[in-house]
Amino acid sequence: RAGLVLRHGGGAPRARPTASSSSSSSSASSGDGGASRAPDTSLFVPVPLKPGLGGAAEEDVGAELTRPLDKGEVLKNLNKFYKRKEIQRLGAENGLDARLFHQAFISFRKYIMESSSVSADLHIILNDICCGAGKFVLLGHVDDLFPFFLRHAKQIFPMLDCMDDLRKISDLRLPPNWYPDARAIQRKIVFHAGPTNSGKTYHAIQRFLSAKSGIYCGPLKLLAHEIFQKSNDANVPCDLVTGEERVYANEDARQAPHVACTIEMCSTNTPYEVAVIDEIQMIRDPARGWAWTRALLGLCAEEIHICGEPAAIDLVTELMYTTGEEVEVRNYKRLTPLTVLDYALESLDNLRPGDCIVCFSKNDIYSVSRQIEARGLECAVIYGSLPPGTKLEQAKKFNDPDDPCKILVATDAIGMGLNLCIRRIIFNSIVKPTVNEKGEKEIDSITTSQALQIAGRAGRFGSSFKQGEVTTMHHDDLLQLKEILSEAVPPVKAAGLHPTPEQIEMFAYHLPDATLSNLIDIFVSLSQVDGMYFVCNIDDFKFLADMIQHIPLNLRSRYVFCTAPLNRKEPFVCTTLLKFARQFSRNEPLTFDWLCRHTKWPLAAPKNIKELVHLEAVHDVFDLYLWLSYRFMDMFPDAVLVRDIQKKLDDIIQIGVCNITKLIRASQSAAAPGTAEAVSEDFPLSRTKKDARVVSDRHGAASTEALSIAVEAAGLRRAKNLRSSQLGSRQEDLKSYGRGSLANRLLREGLLTQEMLRQLESEWQDQHRNGRYGFGSKRDDQHRSKETGKKRK
């Protein structure tokens, strides 16, 4: 009987061998014998099947040959089938682990029980099983259902039928083979290794300028623009290519032999004599590392000049070994001395011309710049979300010896892309918010690489300062900074990879009902990489894919929209992308007039910080339009007009940044007691990992103690060794911080009342008058003594 044959393995569909599990970072051979990863079946989303697809004709045949099914008996036998160990084993041999087996059975049972008719062969098997149950004569066995169950499982999980093909598509173990043009030539690889301000990039650019043709690949638009300017100033015609902009050296828009571009925009098909890849250590970047890997392996140039930290030498050498290319290393030393001072700044009264205070929070930028100008000093401000034009203007203002602005307050955005005449770098904090591999936000000490990159901006060669100095704002941070700077930079261990549109299209061919987000998840789950590579973080891509999933777009267009460079924490920009995609799907061009209506252009100069932040978001929207205009020219036709108003908006933002302290005062005075207008998304960062955890994103659940503990932790640190004359400014700081986003969130969630906020401020002031620097010291002492007593008991 069929059931007996099946139980011995003869009647079941041929099982594929199961894949043995291996880590994504483990080294694997490129041959067929290499081990493959077991798929993460939690990512497999079942395709819904409607019951009753057999039709009336099928029902008549099945019922005519046997009799109508007793659904009660059918249910009993289906549940018996599910519990059979032999069936579970057969399912595992055919790619159904416990999770998939359970989901497939639930769907199979629902399909049979809710269908008014099933196929004739399934009807007959079910009837035989029900008639033979409990009888001596075996008409049918529940195991006979397995071929039908497996067929149903492959319908709802189509990836089971094509797992081998999916594994081949997602095999990322030989990235050098993706670039046949580069493999067809023998390239000379020169690694210019050295710290910041060592002249390594200068020497690479000199070779770039002397070549007949060349390409410069940098991490920032500012760097690409700088090389574009230098080349044309040196009478070497050079084009500029970024995601949002194309500028041709020739008036007739004919392509010049040299091009300066952001690294994502480099062409791997165009031949060049010389290519320069800047900041090669970013090949380890969890989000953008794939772009450096692509440039390093794929650029079709006779000479590849790589600039970056010595920590990347070993990895680059290993990668080039797989392409059969040798690496020539040229080491450089810093051109000017850099000294770590033995004393901290302690007070803003000790600032000198040429000082740069580095903060890792926009709120700290606002606070420090206001305190500096309260002392009668003028300062320039640079942070990441400012438009490139505004950053350049602020840098120009700070560098100008005739300008009264002699102080710079900046984030780590100054680490690359700007030439600044800085004498002394002062770290306001040595902790920085980061995102780990799981996409979770953490606050941790800055790395040695980050510290060296920022500190190295002091004493730039050729500036008016012949040596650089580095220190911290607070004495307690100085020892830790010295330890960080004295440590060796850990070697770069792996290069980033990212699935290409072609790979995702092949996946979609096999899994036509899967969403783009789900396709990416399955791709990463099945992907195989060796120890020199890793798959880059795809959270931003998936966020956009989920956001526009409901909009009808073809796969290639959807992929392009999901790779758009935007900050997903900016609601206005995300909403605009959604509107762009919706109008695009209706085949309606996004015109200049439409964009002006959406952004309410023209816009006035900002009156407070909130308006300044909105203007920065509008600038990002214009960037997004320009970026899409180079991918869908017909649908985004007014790039020239948008670029014109973007330049005007840049000027408006510059006005706001020049008057930033006035905007801060306006924001704070406009906030009524308890309304707490948020100036930025983060409470000012503490300066130690221990304190930083207190003000993490989990503060909402800590009731009112969160605010008091956070301010107390910061207050204790700041109060050390400071003169009593600074108490007034500290009370002002508390008011500024108390009105920030933490207080605002606690108020919205009902965990803090207006009266409690006023009481906290009052207690802060009382404690200062009494010479204490915390909240409710007696109460805390009593609480601690009670806790100690409980523990003893």
Side-chain angles (χ1 to χ4, degrees):
R1 298 216 32 103
L4 295 174
V5 175
L6 174 63
R7 286 194 293 279
H8 289 290
R14 201 160 186 80
R16 290 186 176 88
T18 55
S20 59
S21 176
S22 66
S23 169
S24 62
S25 61
S26 64
S27 181
S29 68
S30 60
D32 295 333
S36 58
R37 299 173 63 181
D40 181 0
T41 56
S42 65
L43 302 173
F44 293 0
V45 179
V47 177
L49 288 183
K50 293 181 180 179
L53 297 179
E58 289 282 2
E59 179 183 18
D60 292 339
V61 172
E64 184 180 338
L65 292 175
T66 57
R67 64 177 182 177
L69 294 173
D70 181 348
K71 289 295 179 81
E73 283 295 321
V74 168
L75 180 60
K76 286 180 186 177
N77 284 286
L78 285 174
N79 290 337
K80 205 181 291 182
F81 169 82
Y82 174 72
K83 294 175 182 177
R84 295 270 300 165
K85 296 292 184 186
E86 291 87 346
I87 294 299
Q88 294 174 15
R89 178 180 56 78
L90 282 171
E93 289 176 2
N94 286 273
L96 293 170
D97 63 7
R99 181 197 300 271
L100 293 186
F101 182 84
H102 178 74
Q103 285 183 288
F105 174 74
I106 296 299
S107 175
F108 182 58
R109 183 177 64 184
K110 181 180 179 182
Y111 176 81
I112 291 176
M113 298 305 295
E114 294 183 2
S115 293
S116 58
S117 64
V118 294
S119 61
D121 51 353
L122 177 57
H123 186 109
I124 293 169
I125 290 293
L126 287 169
N127 182 73
D128 284 354
I129 293 170
C130 292
C131 290
K135 296 183 179 179
F136 292 108
V137 180
L138 185 63
L139 297 178
H141 194 283
V142 290
D143 288 5
D144 297 344
L145 288 172
F146 184 78
F148 302 96
F149 167 73
L150 186 61
R151 183 175 66 190
H152 183 91
K154 289 181 177 180
Q155 284 179 303
I156 66 169
F157 294 116
M159 60 284 295
L160 294 174
D161 242 354
C162 56
M163 193 62 70
D164 290 342
D165 291 333
L166 295 180
R167 281 203 174 95
K168 287 176 184 176
I169 296 168
S170 59
D171 190 342
L172 307 179
R173 286 175 294 183
L174 285 175
N177 292 353
W178 303 349
Y179 309 102
D181 291 344
R183 300 292 77 79
I185 63 173
Q186 187 66 28
R187 305 180 305 171
K188 177 183 178 182
I189 312 295
V190 181
F191 196 126
H192 301 265
T196 305
N197 199 15
S198 61
K200 58 184 183 297
T201 308
Y202 170 82
H203 287 89
I205 294 301
Q206 290 304 112
R207 180 67 188 96
F208 167 81
L209 294 174
S210 64
K212 295 176 182 176
S213 63
I215 181 171
Y216 168 84
C217 307
L220 300 173
K221 286 184 279 188
L222 285 173
L223 284 169
H225 194 276
E226 180 186 345
I227 302 304
F228 162 75
Q229 203 73 46
K230 279 183 178 178
S231 297
N232 288 294
D233 289 347
N235 294 320
V236 177
C238 180
D239 296 337
L240 174 67
V241 177
T242 70
E244 302 80 16
E245 191 174 16
R246 308 285 189 280
V247 181
Y248 296 99
N250 300 313
E251 293 181 359
D252 58 358
R254 186 168 35 87
Q255 189 173 338
H258 288 72
V259 60
C261 65
T262 44
I263 194 158
E264 287 86 353
M265 300 304 298
C266 70
S267 168
T268 56
N269 301 319
T270 308
Y272 298 100
E273 182 183 346
V274 170
V276 177
I277 304 174
D278 208 356
E279 305 294 352
I280 187 63
Q281 69 276 0
M282 289 190 71
I283 200 169
R284 67 182 166 204
D285 187 84
R288 297 178 65 200
W290 62 269
W292 276 263
T293 306
R294 174 175 172 269
L296 180 62
L297 297 177
L299 281 174
C300 192
E302 297 170 25
E303 294 180 27
I304 308 282
H305 289 260
I306 303 166
C307 307
E309 295 177 358
I313 292 175
D314 289 345
L315 177 64
V316 170
T317 303
E318 284 186 53
L319 292 176
M320 293 301 95
Y321 178 78
T322 65
T323 65
E325 295 162 331
E326 293 185 4
V327 179
E328 175 190 339
V329 179
R330 299 179 187 174
N331 289 296
Y332 299 82
K333 293 183 178 179
R334 185 177 167 87
L335 298 173
T336 57
L338 180 66
T339 305
V340 182
L341 301 178
D342 292 325
Y343 54 90
L345 188 70
E346 297 287 0
S347 168
L348 296 176
D349 294 329
N350 298 325
L351 287 172
R352 296 177 291 180
D355 280 350
C356 171
I357 301 177
V358 176
C359 308
F360 297 111
S361 157
K362 199 188 282 189
N363 213 5
D364 283 343
I365 290 274
Y366 298 148
S367 175
V368 170
S369 60
R370 180 175 179 184
Q371 292 179 55
I372 289 172
E373 296 210 1
R375 287 164 167 77
L377 301 173
E378 194 173 338
C379 66
V381 173
I382 296 174
Y383 51 87
S385 59
L386 284 177
T390 303
K391 289 178 186 173
L392 288 171
E393 283 301 315
Q394 289 290 299
K396 183 180 177 181
K397 178 181 178 183
F398 174 70
N399 289 338
D400 187 354
D402 299 324
D403 196 290
C405 173
K406 301 299 179 188
I407 308 295
L408 176 63
V409 182
T411 63
D412 54 345
I414 64 164
M416 60 179 71
L418 291 168
N419 290 321
L420 298 162
C421 297
I422 298 171
R423 179 179 61 180
R424 180 170 59 173
I425 289 284
I426 302 156
F427 285 91
N428 186 58
S429 166
I430 54 172
V431 296
K432 178 184 178 182
T434 57
V435 177
N436 63 20
E437 295 120 5
K438 298 178 181 178
E440 299 167 341
K441 186 175 178 182
E442 294 179 341
I443 295 179
D444 205 348
S445 298
I446 57 175
T447 65
T448 300
S449 178
Q450 291 167 340
L452 289 170
Q453 186 82 26
I454 297 167
R457 309 309 288 179
R460 184 173 67 89
F461 181 76
S463 72
S464 54
F465 302 113
K466 302 303 179 187
Q467 67 175 26
E469 298 174 344
V470 185
T471 187
T472 58
M473 177 68 75
H474 305 277
H475 180 73
D476 290 350
D477 291 336
L478 187 56
L479 182 61
Q480 191 174 354
L481 177 65
K482 287 183 176 180
E483 290 176 2
I484 291 171
L485 291 172
S486 65
E487 292 172 359
V489 178
V492 180
K493 294 182 178 179
L497 296 173
H498 194 280
T500 65
E502 292 77 19
Q503 289 168 327
I504 299 303
E505 279 183 340
M506 286 191 283
F507 248 58
Y509 172 79
H510 291 289
L511 306 174
D513 297 305
T515 66
L516 179 55
S517 178
N518 191 229
L519 283 174
I520 289 285
D521 274 336
I522 296 173
F523 184 97
V524 174
S525 168
L526 293 176
S527 64
Q528 300 175 68
V529 294
D530 69 18
M532 290 187 289
Y533 299 97
F534 68 93
V535 179
C536 285
N537 189 301
I538 54 171
D539 288 347
D540 287 346
F541 184 97
K542 285 176 56 187
F543 171 81
L544 296 180
D546 289 332
M547 187 176 74
I548 65 172
Q549 179 56 41
H550 65 285
I551 298 174
L553 295 168
N554 65 59
L555 183 67
R556 182 61 72 115
S557 298
R558 189 181 299 278
Y559 185 94
V560 171
F561 271 94
C562 292
T563 55
L566 58 79
N567 183 354
R568 62 175 173 170
K569 292 181 181 178
E570 294 180 352
F572 182 70
V573 184
C574 292
T575 303
T576 304
L577 179 71
L578 193 61
K579 291 182 178 180
F580 282 171
R582 191 174 289 120
Q583 187 136 336
F584 180 93
S585 71
R586 294 195 293 259
N587 206 29
E588 298 174 5
L590 290 111
T591 62
F592 176 74
D593 291 337
W594 183 95
L595 188 64
C596 289
R597 285 196 305 273
H598 174 68
T599 58
K600 296 181 172 59
W601 181 265
L603 296 163
K607 298 183 180 64
N608 52 48
I609 289 295
K610 187 176 180 180
E611 291 183 9
L612 176 62
V613 171
H614 178 69
L615 291 181
E616 292 168 6
V618 174
H619 192 280
D620 288 344
V621 166
F622 292 164
D623 261 348
L624 179 61
Y625 184 98
L626 295 171
W627 188 88
L628 289 166
S629 73
Y630 285 106
R631 280 99 185 142
F632 308 110
M633 294 183 183
D634 295 339
M635 299 302 292
F636 296 84
D638 295 328
V640 175
L641 295 172
V642 173
R643 184 165 287 109
D644 287 341
I645 62 171
Q646 189 182 44
K647 289 176 182 175
K648 295 176 182 176
L649 178 59
D650 208 332
D651 294 336
I652 295 171
I653 292 174
Q654 286 176 36
I655 294 170
V657 173
C658 289
N659 299 309
I660 195 164
T661 54
K662 294 178 184 177
L663 303 186
I664 296 169
R665 283 196 295 270
S667 297
Q668 292 171 343
S669 62
T675 59
E677 179 180 342
V679 178
S680 81
E681 68 177 55
D682 291 315
F683 194 80
L685 294 175
S686 304
R687 284 166 295 281
T688 65
K689 291 170 71 173
K690 183 178 179 181
D691 294 344
R693 293 194 188 97
V694 177
V695 291
S696 71
D697 285 341
R698 294 185 290 274
H699 51 56
S703 74
T704 56
E705 281 188 355
L707 181 62
S708 62
I709 293 172
V711 178
E712 180 181 11
L716 280 167
R717 298 289 308 282
R718 292 185 177 191
K720 276 190 176 183
N721 304 321
L722 294 183
R723 297 188 300 274
S724 60
S725 62
Q726 291 178 271
L727 293 181
S729 66
R730 297 216 177 281
Q731 292 166 11
E732 193 67 33
D733 289 347
L734 172 68
K735 292 176 182 177
S736 169
Y737 296 167
R739 297 286 184 257
S741 61
L742 174 58
N744 195 22
R745 259 177 261 176
L746 292 173
L747 283 165
R748 283 200 308 269
E749 295 169 10
L751 299 173
L752 185 67
T753 65
Q754 298 175 16
E755 181 60 35
M756 292 166 71
L757 184 62
R758 284 194 288 271
Q759 184 181 347
L760 287 170
E761 291 180 0
S762 175
E763 287 179 4
W764 170 268
Q765 294 169 6
D766 290 341
Q767 292 300 328
H768 270 298
R769 292 191 196 101
N770 297 332
R772 301 293 296 270
Y773 298 98
F775 281 106
S777 302
K778 290 182 180 178
R779 193 181 310 154
D780 290 346
D781 290 341
Q782 291 170 4
H783 178 72
R784 280 192 290 270
S785 64
K786 287 180 182 178
E787 289 295 321
T788 307
K790 287 180 182 176
K791 287 179 183 177
R792 286 174 180 170
K793 288 178 183 179

